[in-house]
Amino acid sequence: QVQLVESGGGLVQAGGSLRLSCVASGRTVNRYTMGWFRQAPGKEREFVAGISWSSGSTRYADSVKGRFTISGDNAKNTVYLQMNSLTPEDTAIYYCASGANIAVLVTTSGYAYWGQGTQVTVSS
């Protein structure tokens, strides 16, 4: 009922920036929070950032706090992830997710719908 499509990934040098986008389509109800997760080879999928549509409140993983910024545009049904000061440790596939909880959750179980992912590679 909800479709998510990520874009904006690519190859960037350490210290550079990228902006990821996630466009949501389908039903517009019961869509309270949006989150970004990432998964590197051999690693578990981990929470990166999340935002509440109703309040605009945000939440970040400690590893990206101060470097990444999540924002949303309700009119365009789009969520963005601005990524600055990138390091090789940020290399991963980044996934967009949608959840029904009012509060931003940091576990994958808190989100019902997922995008296909977009690759981010940071060279040193």
Side-chain angles (χ1 to χ4, degrees):
Q1 292 183 309
V2 176
Q3 295 80 46
L4 306 174
V5 180
E6 306 98 330
S7 63
L11 175 63
V12 65
Q13 295 182 351
S17 299
L18 286 172
R19 189 175 78 157
L20 307 183
S21 299
C22 174
V23 180
S25 61
R27 73 174 189 173
T28 58
V29 298
N30 295 325
R31 180 167 51 86
Y32 302 118
T33 58
M34 298 288 290
W36 286 96
F37 290 74
R38 66 186 182 186
Q39 187 166 22
K43 303 291 185 179
E44 295 182 352
R45 189 170 299 187
E46 65 175 349
F47 173 80
V48 176
I51 185 171
S52 170
W53 283 114
S54 60
S55 67
S57 63
T58 59
R59 189 173 183 178
Y60 297 92
D62 290 340
S63 59
V64 306
K65 192 174 300 182
R67 299 188 297 121
F68 292 7
T69 302
I70 187 171
S71 61
D73 187 332
N74 285 90
K76 297 181 178 180
N77 290 318
T78 302
V79 173
Y80 305 95
L81 184 67
Q82 179 66 47
M83 310 165 67
N84 299 327
S85 301
L86 287 164
T87 73
E89 288 68 42
D90 296 314
T91 296
I93 300 176
Y94 283 70
Y95 297 90
C96 176
S98 176
N101 283 274
I102 297 177
V104 175
L105 303 180
V106 300
T107 59
T108 57
S109 61
Y111 300 84
Y113 302 98
W114 296 81
Q116 80 289 342
T118 184
Q119 177 71 48
V120 172
T121 302
V122 184
S123 63
S124 60

Short mmCIF file of all heavy atoms in Angstrom, two decimals, residues 15-84:
data_model
loop_
_atom_site.label_atom_id
_atom_site.label_comp_id
_atom_site.label_asym_id
_atom_site.label_seq_id
_atom_site.Cartn_x
_atom_site.Cartn_y
_atom_site.Cartn_z
N GLY A 15 35.28 13.30 3.21
CA GLY A 15 35.10 14.71 3.48
C GLY A 15 34.04 15.36 2.62
O GLY A 15 33.64 16.51 2.88
N GLY A 16 33.55 14.65 1.61
CA GLY A 16 32.54 15.18 0.72
C GLY A 16 31.14 15.02 1.24
O GLY A 16 30.92 14.55 2.37
N SER A 17 30.16 15.38 0.40
CA SER A 17 28.75 15.37 0.80
C SER A 17 27.87 14.73 -0.26
O SER A 17 28.21 14.73 -1.45
CB SER A 17 28.25 16.80 1.05
OG SER A 17 28.97 17.44 2.09
N LEU A 18 26.75 14.18 0.18
CA LEU A 18 25.71 13.66 -0.69
C LEU A 18 24.36 13.95 -0.06
O LEU A 18 24.26 14.09 1.16
CB LEU A 18 25.84 12.14 -0.89
CG LEU A 18 26.95 11.60 -1.79
CD1 LEU A 18 26.99 10.08 -1.68
CD2 LEU A 18 26.72 12.02 -3.23
N ARG A 19 23.31 14.05 -0.88
CA ARG A 19 21.96 14.17 -0.37
C ARG A 19 21.09 13.07 -0.95
O ARG A 19 20.93 12.98 -2.17
CB ARG A 19 21.35 15.53 -0.69
CG ARG A 19 20.00 15.73 0.04
CD ARG A 19 19.41 17.11 -0.15
NE ARG A 19 18.77 17.27 -1.45
CZ ARG A 19 17.83 18.16 -1.71
NH1 ARG A 19 17.41 18.99 -0.76
NH2 ARG A 19 17.33 18.25 -2.92
N LEU A 20 20.54 12.24 -0.08
CA LEU A 20 19.65 11.17 -0.48
C LEU A 20 18.21 11.64 -0.42
O LEU A 20 17.84 12.46 0.42
CB LEU A 20 19.82 9.95 0.43
CG LEU A 20 21.24 9.40 0.60
CD1 LEU A 20 21.22 8.15 1.48
CD2 LEU A 20 21.88 9.10 -0.74
N SER A 21 17.38 11.10 -1.32
CA SER A 21 15.96 11.41 -1.35
C SER A 21 15.15 10.13 -1.28
O SER A 21 15.57 9.09 -1.79
CB SER A 21 15.59 12.18 -2.63
OG SER A 21 16.28 13.40 -2.71
N CYS A 22 13.97 10.22 -0.67
CA CYS A 22 13.05 9.09 -0.58
C CYS A 22 11.65 9.60 -0.87
O CYS A 22 11.12 10.41 -0.11
CB CYS A 22 13.11 8.44 0.80
SG CYS A 22 11.87 7.14 1.07
N VAL A 23 11.06 9.14 -1.97
CA VAL A 23 9.72 9.55 -2.37
C VAL A 23 8.73 8.45 -2.02
O VAL A 23 8.92 7.29 -2.39
CB VAL A 23 9.66 9.85 -3.88
CG1 VAL A 23 8.24 10.27 -4.26
CG2 VAL A 23 10.65 10.94 -4.25
N ALA A 24 7.67 8.82 -1.30
CA ALA A 24 6.64 7.88 -0.89
C ALA A 24 5.40 8.04 -1.75
O ALA A 24 4.98 9.15 -2.07
CB ALA A 24 6.27 8.08 0.57
N SER A 25 4.78 6.91 -2.12
CA SER A 25 3.54 6.92 -2.87
C SER A 25 2.60 5.87 -2.30
O SER A 25 3.00 5.03 -1.51
CB SER A 25 3.78 6.66 -4.36
OG SER A 25 4.37 5.39 -4.57
N GLY A 26 1.33 5.92 -2.71
CA GLY A 26 0.33 5.02 -2.17
C GLY A 26 -0.55 5.74 -1.16
O GLY A 26 -0.75 6.95 -1.24
N ARG A 27 -1.03 5.00 -0.16
CA ARG A 27 -1.92 5.59 0.82
C ARG A 27 -1.18 6.61 1.68
O ARG A 27 0.01 6.45 1.99
CB ARG A 27 -2.57 4.53 1.69
CG ARG A 27 -1.65 3.87 2.70
CD ARG A 27 -2.43 2.94 3.61
NE ARG A 27 -1.65 2.45 4.73
CZ ARG A 27 -2.13 1.74 5.73
NH1 ARG A 27 -3.42 1.43 5.76
NH2 ARG A 27 -1.33 1.34 6.70
N THR A 28 -1.90 7.65 2.09
CA THR A 28 -1.29 8.73 2.86
C THR A 28 -1.62 8.68 4.35
O THR A 28 -1.11 9.50 5.11
CB THR A 28 -1.75 10.09 2.30
OG1 THR A 28 -3.17 10.18 2.34
CG2 THR A 28 -1.27 10.26 0.86
N VAL A 29 -2.45 7.74 4.78
CA VAL A 29 -2.79 7.60 6.19
C VAL A 29 -1.87 6.59 6.85
O VAL A 29 -1.25 5.77 6.18
CB VAL A 29 -4.27 7.18 6.38
CG1 VAL A 29 -5.19 8.24 5.82
CG2 VAL A 29 -4.53 5.84 5.71
N ASN A 30 -1.80 6.67 8.19
CA ASN A 30 -0.97 5.76 8.98
C ASN A 30 0.49 5.80 8.54
O ASN A 30 1.18 4.78 8.49
CB ASN A 30 -1.50 4.33 8.92
CG ASN A 30 -2.87 4.19 9.56
OD1 ASN A 30 -3.16 4.86 10.55
ND2 ASN A 30 -3.70 3.33 8.99
N ARG A 31 0.96 6.97 8.20
CA ARG A 31 2.35 7.20 7.83
C ARG A 31 2.87 8.30 8.75
O ARG A 31 2.80 9.49 8.41
CB ARG A 31 2.46 7.57 6.36
CG ARG A 31 3.88 7.82 5.89
CD ARG A 31 3.95 7.86 4.36
NE ARG A 31 2.97 8.76 3.78
CZ ARG A 31 3.15 10.07 3.59
NH1 ARG A 31 4.29 10.64 3.96
NH2 ARG A 31 2.19 10.80 3.05
N TYR A 32 3.34 7.92 9.92
CA TYR A 32 3.69 8.89 10.95
C TYR A 32 5.17 9.19 11.05
O TYR A 32 5.55 10.32 11.41
CB TYR A 32 3.18 8.39 12.30
CG TYR A 32 1.69 8.13 12.33
CD1 TYR A 32 1.18 6.86 12.56
CD2 TYR A 32 0.80 9.17 12.12
CE1 TYR A 32 -0.19 6.63 12.59
CE2 TYR A 32 -0.57 8.95 12.14
CZ TYR A 32 -1.06 7.69 12.38
OH TYR A 32 -2.41 7.47 12.41
N THR A 33 6.02 8.22 10.78
CA THR A 33 7.46 8.41 10.88
C THR A 33 8.18 7.85 9.65
O THR A 33 7.71 6.91 9.02
CB THR A 33 8.03 7.73 12.13
OG1 THR A 33 7.73 6.33 12.10
CG2 THR A 33 7.45 8.35 13.39
N MET A 34 9.31 8.45 9.34
CA MET A 34 10.18 7.97 8.27
C MET A 34 11.59 7.82 8.82
O MET A 34 12.03 8.66 9.61
CB MET A 34 10.19 8.93 7.09
CG MET A 34 8.83 9.13 6.43
SD MET A 34 8.31 7.67 5.48
CE MET A 34 9.46 7.74 4.12
N GLY A 35 12.27 6.77 8.41
CA GLY A 35 13.61 6.53 8.90
C GLY A 35 14.57 6.14 7.79
O GLY A 35 14.16 5.65 6.74
N TRP A 36 15.85 6.38 8.05
CA TRP A 36 16.93 5.94 7.18
C TRP A 36 17.76 4.90 7.92
O TRP A 36 18.16 5.12 9.06
CB TRP A 36 17.82 7.10 6.76
CG TRP A 36 17.22 8.02 5.74
CD1 TRP A 36 16.58 9.19 5.97
CD2 TRP A 36 17.22 7.83 4.32
NE1 TRP A 36 16.17 9.76 4.79
CE2 TRP A 36 16.55 8.94 3.76
CE3 TRP A 36 17.71 6.84 3.48
CZ2 TRP A 36 16.37 9.08 2.38
CZ3 TRP A 36 17.52 6.98 2.11
CH2 TRP A 36 16.86 8.08 1.58
N PHE A 37 18.01 3.78 7.26
CA PHE A 37 18.88 2.73 7.77
C PHE A 37 19.98 2.47 6.75
O PHE A 37 19.86 2.85 5.59
CB PHE A 37 18.09 1.43 8.01
CG PHE A 37 17.15 1.49 9.18
CD1 PHE A 37 15.96 2.19 9.09
CD2 PHE A 37 17.44 0.83 10.36
CE1 PHE A 37 15.08 2.24 10.16
CE2 PHE A 37 16.57 0.87 11.44
CZ PHE A 37 15.38 1.58 11.34
N ARG A 38 21.07 1.82 7.19
CA ARG A 38 22.13 1.46 6.27
C ARG A 38 22.68 0.08 6.61
O ARG A 38 22.61 -0.36 7.76
CB ARG A 38 23.25 2.50 6.28
CG ARG A 38 24.03 2.58 7.59
CD ARG A 38 25.02 3.73 7.54
NE ARG A 38 25.82 3.82 8.75
CZ ARG A 38 26.67 4.81 9.00
NH1 ARG A 38 26.83 5.79 8.13
NH2 ARG A 38 27.37 4.82 10.14
N GLN A 39 23.23 -0.58 5.60
CA GLN A 39 23.78 -1.91 5.79
C GLN A 39 25.05 -2.06 4.96
O GLN A 39 25.01 -1.96 3.74
CB GLN A 39 22.77 -2.99 5.40
CG GLN A 39 23.21 -4.40 5.73
CD GLN A 39 22.07 -5.40 5.65
OE1 GLN A 39 21.07 -5.16 4.97
NE2 GLN A 39 22.21 -6.51 6.34
N ALA A 40 26.17 -2.30 5.64
CA ALA A 40 27.45 -2.54 5.00
C ALA A 40 27.65 -4.04 4.85
O ALA A 40 27.03 -4.84 5.56
CB ALA A 40 28.58 -1.93 5.83
N PRO A 41 28.53 -4.47 3.93
CA PRO A 41 28.78 -5.90 3.74
C PRO A 41 29.20 -6.58 5.04
O PRO A 41 30.10 -6.11 5.74
CB PRO A 41 29.92 -5.92 2.71
CG PRO A 41 29.74 -4.66 1.94
CD PRO A 41 29.28 -3.65 2.95
N GLY A 42 28.55 -7.68 5.37
CA GLY A 42 28.86 -8.43 6.57
C GLY A 42 28.35 -7.82 7.86
O GLY A 42 28.64 -8.34 8.94
N LYS A 43 27.60 -6.73 7.77
CA LYS A 43 27.08 -6.04 8.94
C LYS A 43 25.56 -6.12 9.00
O LYS A 43 24.90 -6.38 8.00
CB LYS A 43 27.52 -4.58 8.95
CG LYS A 43 29.02 -4.36 8.89
CD LYS A 43 29.70 -4.80 10.16
CE LYS A 43 31.18 -4.45 10.13
NZ LYS A 43 31.87 -4.85 11.38
N GLU A 44 25.02 -5.89 10.19
CA GLU A 44 23.57 -5.82 10.35
C GLU A 44 23.06 -4.46 9.88
O GLU A 44 23.79 -3.47 9.88
CB GLU A 44 23.18 -6.03 11.81
CG GLU A 44 23.51 -7.41 12.36
CD GLU A 44 23.05 -7.59 13.79
OE1 GLU A 44 22.61 -6.60 14.40
OE2 GLU A 44 23.13 -8.72 14.29
N ARG A 45 21.80 -4.43 9.49
CA ARG A 45 21.18 -3.17 9.12
C ARG A 45 21.01 -2.31 10.37
O ARG A 45 20.46 -2.76 11.37
CB ARG A 45 19.83 -3.42 8.45
CG ARG A 45 19.20 -2.18 7.84
CD ARG A 45 17.99 -2.54 6.97
NE ARG A 45 18.35 -3.41 5.87
CZ ARG A 45 17.51 -3.76 4.89
NH1 ARG A 45 16.27 -3.29 4.88
NH2 ARG A 45 17.92 -4.58 3.94
N GLU A 46 21.48 -1.06 10.32
CA GLU A 46 21.47 -0.20 11.48
C GLU A 46 20.74 1.11 11.22
O GLU A 46 20.72 1.63 10.10
CB GLU A 46 22.90 0.10 11.96
CG GLU A 46 23.73 0.89 10.97
CD GLU A 46 25.10 1.28 11.51
OE1 GLU A 46 25.33 1.12 12.72
OE2 GLU A 46 25.94 1.75 10.72
N PHE A 47 20.17 1.66 12.28
CA PHE A 47 19.46 2.92 12.22
C PHE A 47 20.43 4.07 11.99
O PHE A 47 21.52 4.11 12.57
CB PHE A 47 18.69 3.14 13.53
CG PHE A 47 18.05 4.48 13.65
CD1 PHE A 47 16.84 4.75 13.03
CD2 PHE A 47 18.64 5.49 14.40
CE1 PHE A 47 16.23 5.99 13.15
CE2 PHE A 47 18.05 6.73 14.53
CZ PHE A 47 16.85 6.97 13.90
N VAL A 48 20.03 5.02 11.15
CA VAL A 48 20.83 6.20 10.86
C VAL A 48 20.14 7.47 11.36
O VAL A 48 20.71 8.25 12.12
CB VAL A 48 21.14 6.33 9.36
CG1 VAL A 48 21.90 7.62 9.08
CG2 VAL A 48 21.92 5.12 8.87
N ALA A 49 18.90 7.69 10.92
CA ALA A 49 18.16 8.90 11.28
C ALA A 49 16.68 8.68 11.06
O ALA A 49 16.28 7.86 10.23
CB ALA A 49 18.64 10.11 10.47
N GLY A 50 15.84 9.43 11.79
CA GLY A 50 14.40 9.33 11.64
C GLY A 50 13.73 10.66 11.88
O GLY A 50 14.30 11.55 12.52
N ILE A 51 12.50 10.80 11.37
CA ILE A 51 11.75 12.04 11.52
C ILE A 51 10.27 11.73 11.70
O ILE A 51 9.74 10.80 11.09
CB ILE A 51 11.97 12.97 10.30
CG1 ILE A 51 11.30 14.32 10.52
CG2 ILE A 51 11.48 12.31 9.02
CD1 ILE A 51 11.67 15.36 9.47
N SER A 52 9.59 12.52 12.54
CA SER A 52 8.15 12.43 12.73
C SER A 52 7.45 13.46 11.85
O SER A 52 7.79 14.65 11.91
CB SER A 52 7.79 12.68 14.20
OG SER A 52 6.40 12.84 14.37
N TRP A 53 6.50 13.01 11.03
CA TRP A 53 5.79 13.93 10.15
C TRP A 53 4.98 14.96 10.93
O TRP A 53 4.89 16.12 10.54
CB TRP A 53 4.86 13.17 9.20
CG TRP A 53 5.54 12.51 8.06
CD1 TRP A 53 5.65 11.18 7.83
CD2 TRP A 53 6.19 13.16 6.95
NE1 TRP A 53 6.34 10.94 6.66
CE2 TRP A 53 6.67 12.14 6.11
CE3 TRP A 53 6.41 14.50 6.61
CZ2 TRP A 53 7.37 12.43 4.93
CZ3 TRP A 53 7.10 14.77 5.45
CH2 TRP A 53 7.57 13.75 4.63
N SER A 54 4.36 14.55 12.04
CA SER A 54 3.46 15.42 12.78
C SER A 54 4.19 16.54 13.51
O SER A 54 3.76 17.70 13.47
CB SER A 54 2.63 14.61 13.77
OG SER A 54 3.46 13.93 14.69
N SER A 55 5.28 16.21 14.18
CA SER A 55 5.98 17.19 15.00
C SER A 55 7.24 17.74 14.35
O SER A 55 7.72 18.81 14.73
CB SER A 55 6.35 16.58 16.35
OG SER A 55 7.31 15.55 16.20
N GLY A 56 7.79 17.01 13.39
CA GLY A 56 9.05 17.40 12.79
C GLY A 56 10.26 17.04 13.63
O GLY A 56 11.39 17.38 13.24
N SER A 57 10.05 16.37 14.75
CA SER A 57 11.16 15.98 15.60
C SER A 57 12.03 14.95 14.90
O SER A 57 11.54 14.13 14.12
CB SER A 57 10.66 15.43 16.93
OG SER A 57 9.88 14.26 16.74
N THR A 58 13.32 14.98 15.18
CA THR A 58 14.28 14.09 14.54
C THR A 58 15.09 13.32 15.56
O THR A 58 15.18 13.71 16.73
CB THR A 58 15.23 14.88 13.63
OG1 THR A 58 15.92 15.87 14.41
CG2 THR A 58 14.45 15.58 12.52
N ARG A 59 15.72 12.23 15.10
CA ARG A 59 16.53 11.39 15.95
C ARG A 59 17.68 10.84 15.11
O ARG A 59 17.48 10.48 13.95
CB ARG A 59 15.70 10.27 16.54
CG ARG A 59 16.38 9.44 17.62
CD ARG A 59 15.39 8.48 18.24
NE ARG A 59 15.96 7.70 19.31
CZ ARG A 59 15.29 6.82 20.05
NH1 ARG A 59 14.00 6.62 19.82
NH2 ARG A 59 15.91 6.15 21.01
N TYR A 60 18.88 10.77 15.70
CA TYR A 60 20.06 10.36 14.95
C TYR A 60 20.87 9.33 15.71
O TYR A 60 20.91 9.32 16.95
CB TYR A 60 20.98 11.55 14.67
CG TYR A 60 20.36 12.63 13.81
CD1 TYR A 60 19.69 13.70 14.39
CD2 TYR A 60 20.45 12.57 12.43
CE1 TYR A 60 19.11 14.69 13.61
CE2 TYR A 60 19.89 13.55 11.64
CZ TYR A 60 19.22 14.61 12.23
OH TYR A 60 18.66 15.58 11.45
N ALA A 61 21.52 8.45 14.96
CA ALA A 61 22.50 7.56 15.55
C ALA A 61 23.72 8.37 15.98
O ALA A 61 24.06 9.38 15.35
CB ALA A 61 22.91 6.48 14.55
N ASP A 62 24.38 7.94 17.06
CA ASP A 62 25.54 8.66 17.55
C ASP A 62 26.64 8.79 16.49
O ASP A 62 27.36 9.79 16.45
CB ASP A 62 26.10 7.97 18.79
CG ASP A 62 25.20 8.12 20.01
OD1 ASP A 62 24.35 9.03 20.02
OD2 ASP A 62 25.36 7.33 20.95
N SER A 63 26.76 7.80 15.63
CA SER A 63 27.82 7.78 14.65
C SER A 63 27.68 8.85 13.58
O SER A 63 28.66 9.19 12.91
CB SER A 63 27.91 6.40 13.99
OG SER A 63 26.69 6.07 13.35
N VAL A 64 26.47 9.39 13.40
CA VAL A 64 26.24 10.39 12.35
C VAL A 64 25.80 11.73 12.90
O VAL A 64 25.67 12.70 12.13
CB VAL A 64 25.21 9.90 11.32
CG1 VAL A 64 25.62 8.54 10.77
CG2 VAL A 64 23.82 9.83 11.93
N LYS A 65 25.58 11.82 14.19
CA LYS A 65 25.10 13.06 14.80
C LYS A 65 26.08 14.20 14.55
O LYS A 65 27.28 14.06 14.76
CB LYS A 65 24.87 12.86 16.30
CG LYS A 65 24.10 13.97 16.99
CD LYS A 65 23.81 13.60 18.44
CE LYS A 65 22.98 12.34 18.54
NZ LYS A 65 22.66 11.99 19.95
N GLY A 66 25.56 15.33 14.08
CA GLY A 66 26.39 16.47 13.76
C GLY A 66 26.88 16.49 12.33
O GLY A 66 27.36 17.53 11.87
N ARG A 67 26.78 15.37 11.62
CA ARG A 67 27.21 15.29 10.23
C ARG A 67 26.05 15.12 9.26
O ARG A 67 26.09 15.63 8.14
CB ARG A 67 28.19 14.12 10.04
CG ARG A 67 29.46 14.24 10.87
CD ARG A 67 30.46 13.15 10.47
NE ARG A 67 29.95 11.80 10.74
CZ ARG A 67 29.79 10.86 9.80
NH1 ARG A 67 30.11 11.12 8.54
NH2 ARG A 67 29.34 9.66 10.13
N PHE A 68 25.02 14.37 9.67
CA PHE A 68 23.86 14.10 8.82
C PHE A 68 22.66 14.90 9.30
O PHE A 68 22.50 15.15 10.51
CB PHE A 68 23.49 12.62 8.84
CG PHE A 68 24.50 11.70 8.19
CD1 PHE A 68 25.73 12.15 7.76
CD2 PHE A 68 24.19 10.35 8.02
CE1 PHE A 68 26.64 11.31 7.17
CE2 PHE A 68 25.09 9.49 7.43
CZ PHE A 68 26.33 9.96 7.00
N THR A 69 21.78 15.28 8.37
CA THR A 69 20.56 15.99 8.70
C THR A 69 19.39 15.38 7.92
O THR A 69 19.46 15.27 6.70
CB THR A 69 20.67 17.48 8.36
OG1 THR A 69 21.76 18.07 9.07
CG2 THR A 69 19.38 18.21 8.77
N ILE A 70 18.33 15.00 8.64
CA ILE A 70 17.14 14.48 8.00
C ILE A 70 16.08 15.57 7.95
O ILE A 70 15.93 16.35 8.90
CB ILE A 70 16.60 13.23 8.72
CG1 ILE A 70 15.45 12.59 7.94
CG2 ILE A 70 16.17 13.55 10.15
CD1 ILE A 70 15.01 11.23 8.48
N SER A 71 15.34 15.66 6.85
CA SER A 71 14.29 16.64 6.70
C SER A 71 13.19 16.08 5.81
O SER A 71 13.40 15.08 5.12
CB SER A 71 14.83 17.95 6.11
OG SER A 71 15.39 17.73 4.82
N GLY A 72 12.02 16.72 5.83
CA GLY A 72 10.91 16.22 5.04
C GLY A 72 10.13 17.34 4.38
O GLY A 72 10.11 18.47 4.85
N ASP A 73 9.48 17.01 3.28
CA ASP A 73 8.62 17.92 2.53
C ASP A 73 7.28 17.21 2.36
O ASP A 73 7.14 16.34 1.51
CB ASP A 73 9.23 18.26 1.18
CG ASP A 73 8.46 19.33 0.44
OD1 ASP A 73 7.24 19.45 0.64
OD2 ASP A 73 9.07 20.06 -0.37
N ASN A 74 6.28 17.59 3.19
CA ASN A 74 4.99 16.92 3.16
C ASN A 74 4.30 17.05 1.80
O ASN A 74 3.67 16.11 1.32
CB ASN A 74 4.07 17.47 4.25
CG ASN A 74 4.43 16.98 5.64
OD1 ASN A 74 5.23 17.58 6.34
ND2 ASN A 74 3.83 15.86 6.03
N ALA A 75 4.40 18.23 1.19
CA ALA A 75 3.73 18.47 -0.09
C ALA A 75 4.24 17.53 -1.17
O ALA A 75 3.49 17.15 -2.07
CB ALA A 75 3.90 19.92 -0.51
N LYS A 76 5.51 17.17 -1.10
CA LYS A 76 6.11 16.29 -2.11
C LYS A 76 6.22 14.84 -1.64
O LYS A 76 6.74 14.01 -2.39
CB LYS A 76 7.50 16.81 -2.49
CG LYS A 76 7.49 18.18 -3.14
CD LYS A 76 8.90 18.61 -3.52
CE LYS A 76 8.89 19.95 -4.22
NZ LYS A 76 10.26 20.39 -4.60
N ASN A 77 5.75 14.56 -0.42
CA ASN A 77 5.86 13.21 0.15
C ASN A 77 7.29 12.69 0.04
O ASN A 77 7.52 11.53 -0.34
CB ASN A 77 4.89 12.25 -0.55
CG ASN A 77 3.44 12.53 -0.21
OD1 ASN A 77 3.10 12.80 0.94
ND2 ASN A 77 2.57 12.47 -1.21
N THR A 78 8.23 13.54 0.39
CA THR A 78 9.64 13.23 0.22
C THR A 78 10.42 13.49 1.50
O THR A 78 10.19 14.50 2.17
CB THR A 78 10.25 14.04 -0.93
OG1 THR A 78 9.53 13.78 -2.14
CG2 THR A 78 11.71 13.69 -1.14
N VAL A 79 11.34 12.59 1.82
CA VAL A 79 12.24 12.74 2.94
C VAL A 79 13.67 12.78 2.40
O VAL A 79 14.00 12.04 1.47
CB VAL A 79 12.08 11.59 3.96
CG1 VAL A 79 13.15 11.67 5.04
CG2 VAL A 79 10.70 11.63 4.58
N TYR A 80 14.50 13.63 3.00
CA TYR A 80 15.87 13.80 2.55
C TYR A 80 16.85 13.44 3.66
O TYR A 80 16.54 13.53 4.84
CB TYR A 80 16.13 15.25 2.12
CG TYR A 80 15.17 15.76 1.09
CD1 TYR A 80 14.04 16.49 1.45
CD2 TYR A 80 15.39 15.53 -0.27
CE1 TYR A 80 13.16 16.96 0.50
CE2 TYR A 80 14.51 16.01 -1.23
CZ TYR A 80 13.40 16.72 -0.84
OH TYR A 80 12.52 17.19 -1.79
N LEU A 81 18.04 13.05 3.26
CA LEU A 81 19.13 12.83 4.20
C LEU A 81 20.36 13.54 3.65
O LEU A 81 20.97 13.07 2.69
CB LEU A 81 19.42 11.34 4.40
CG LEU A 81 20.49 11.02 5.44
CD1 LEU A 81 20.01 11.41 6.84
CD2 LEU A 81 20.87 9.54 5.41
N GLN A 82 20.71 14.67 4.26
CA GLN A 82 21.91 15.40 3.89
C GLN A 82 23.08 14.81 4.64
O GLN A 82 23.08 14.76 5.87
CB GLN A 82 21.75 16.89 4.22
CG GLN A 82 22.97 17.74 3.88
CD GLN A 82 23.24 17.80 2.40
OE1 GLN A 82 22.33 18.03 1.62
NE2 GLN A 82 24.49 17.60 2.01
N MET A 83 24.10 14.36 3.92
CA MET A 83 25.24 13.67 4.49
C MET A 83 26.50 14.49 4.24
O MET A 83 26.91 14.65 3.09
CB MET A 83 25.38 12.27 3.88
CG MET A 83 24.08 11.46 3.91
SD MET A 83 24.12 10.02 2.81
CE MET A 83 25.35 9.02 3.63
N ASN A 84 27.11 15.00 5.31
CA ASN A 84 28.32 15.81 5.22
C ASN A 84 29.48 15.12 5.92
O ASN A 84 29.28 14.22 6.73
CB ASN A 84 28.09 17.19 5.84
CG ASN A 84 27.01 17.99 5.15
OD1 ASN A 84 26.83 17.89 3.93
ND2 ASN A 84 26.30 18.80 5.92
#
